[in-house]
């Protein structure tokens, strides 16, 4: 089925066809690729355990815009928390995207991490060739996945959305997609 999208862009009427099946397949492909990217990153950290984020939160980030926030996590209990939560978070984000469960929540936290990576990596030399980096593109892909409800296409979110529990608690629909 082809849907005709009609909208206004920069004061002009715009209309273009979108074949829904192609968009659906594209969402699944993007969800699987980004899910594998984060699952792999998290598993790599577990395989090289112990993971130590102090070089990032206390070292690389110290002189950046986000430095005052990230330096708080550079020692003590907050560093220990970060050392565990970064790999756990990456694995959970990856698994959530791969199986399409709580996709919007996973994409939100993926985008949250990408904001930190973008600014810290960018301000420490990553922007030497411009501000469009892989971290920014990852952030945009997470936004696309969350916005377009990618988990409802060949994912568990389609099943979760039909459950009585979600129907009785409509706010949960914000986490699935």
């Amino acid at each position: 089925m082809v849907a005709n999208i009609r909208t206004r862009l920069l004061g002009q009427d715009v209309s273009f066809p979108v074949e829904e099946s192609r968009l659906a397949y594209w969402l699944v492909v993007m969800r699987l690729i980004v899910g594998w990217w984060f699952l792999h990153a998290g598993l790599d950290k577990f395989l090289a355990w112990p993971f130590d984020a102090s070089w990032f939160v206390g070292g690389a980030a110290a002189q950046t815009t986000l430095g005052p926030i990230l330096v708080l996590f550079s020692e003590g209990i907050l560093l220990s928390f970060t050392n565990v939560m970064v790999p756990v978070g990456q694995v959970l984000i990856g698994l959530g995207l791969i199986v399409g469960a709580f996709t919007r929540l996973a994409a939100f936290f993926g985008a949250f991490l990408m904001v930190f990576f973008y600014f810290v990596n960018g301000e420490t030399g990553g922007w030497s060739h411009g501000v469009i980096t892989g971290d920014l593109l990852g952030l945009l892909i997470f936004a696309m996945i969350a916005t377009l409800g990618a988990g409802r296409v060949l994912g568990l979110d389609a099943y979760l959305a039909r459950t009585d529990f979600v129907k009785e608690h409509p706010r949960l629909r914000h986490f699935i997609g």
Side-chain angles (χ1 to χ4, degrees):
M1 178 175 189
V2 176
N4 198 21
I5 306 296
R6 292 188 181 110
T7 188
R8 290 186 60 79
L9 179 65
L10 302 173
Q12 301 290 323
D13 288 328
V14 178
S15 177
F16 58 93
V18 174
E19 188 174 332
E20 293 174 12
S21 64
R22 289 185 184 160
L23 177 60
Y25 288 123
W26 179 249
L27 289 175
V28 172
V29 167
M30 294 309 310
R31 199 183 78 218
L32 292 173
I33 288 171
V34 174
W36 173 250
W37 176 31
F38 262 62
L39 178 63
H40 185 267
L43 291 176
D44 278 352
K45 289 172 181 64
F46 278 120
L47 291 174
W49 198 260
F51 173 68
D52 183 16
S54 63
W55 68 271
F56 187 81
V57 293
Q63 303 303 318
T64 66
T65 304
L66 298 176
I69 297 167
L70 293 176
V71 169
L72 296 173
F73 293 87
S74 64
E75 57 188 37
I77 190 78
L78 291 177
L79 178 59
S80 297
F81 175 77
T82 303
N83 288 340
V84 172
M85 288 312 297
V86 167
V88 167
Q90 287 178 324
V91 167
L92 290 176
I93 290 166
L95 287 174
L97 292 178
I98 289 171
V99 300
F102 298 100
T103 307
R104 282 197 175 116
L105 185 64
F108 168 80
F109 282 111
F112 180 78
L113 285 176
M114 294 310 293
V115 166
F116 290 106
F117 299 157
Y118 176 70
F119 282 102
V120 172
N121 292 336
E123 291 182 28
T124 57
W127 292 339
S128 60
H129 297 289
V131 296
I132 308 299
T133 66
D135 296 326
L136 179 62
L137 296 177
L139 174 62
L140 293 175
I141 292 171
F142 276 119
M144 177 192 70
I145 288 170
T147 303
L148 296 176
R152 293 174 194 243
V153 182
L154 298 176
L156 293 179
D157 283 345
Y159 167 76
L160 293 173
R162 292 189 306 266
T163 63
D164 291 335
F165 188 76
V166 171
K167 289 177 183 175
E168 292 169 8
H169 301 89
R171 289 186 179 170
L172 290 175
R173 295 180 64 85
H174 296 292
F175 299 111
I176 61 177

